Amino acid sequence: LTVGIVTRPFNFEGQRRNKQSEEAIEELRKAVDTLVVVSNDKLLRIVPDNTPVQEAFMVADDILRQGVVGIAEIIIKTGLVNVDFADVKAVIKDA
């Protein structure tokens, strides 16, 4: 099972950057079982308007990290309902 997690560029990064990301996302879809695509602009909604650009990028990176850790923990940690790799794969494969 291969899961890709990527972000779309911020709108302020311009059309060229957005076009490059769209092409890359389409190529990546061919190589993974599931691709999670997150909009950086949507991530900006959770940070104050006066947040510096570099900090906004850091927030986006941290949210992606949390997503990866969350998927890994579902597989690794024992919980009330035991979930293993096969369960996660069945749910997210070709999603």
Side-chain angles (χ1 to χ4, degrees), residues 73-93:
E73 285 182 349
I74 288 170
I75 297 168
I76 295 169
K77 288 191 174 182
T78 303
L80 293 174
V81 176
N82 287 330
V83 177
D84 64 11
F85 180 78
D87 296 324
V88 173
K89 183 176 180 177
V91 170
I92 64 175
K93 178 140 174 71

Side-chain angles (χ1 to χ4, degrees), residues 2 22-35 93-94:
T2 305
E22 289 299 323
E23 292 169 359
I25 287 169
E26 289 311 310
E27 284 299 310
L28 187 55
R29 279 190 202 282
K30 299 173 188 175
V32 297
D33 296 306
T34 298
L35 185 60
K93 178 140 174 71
D94 299 321

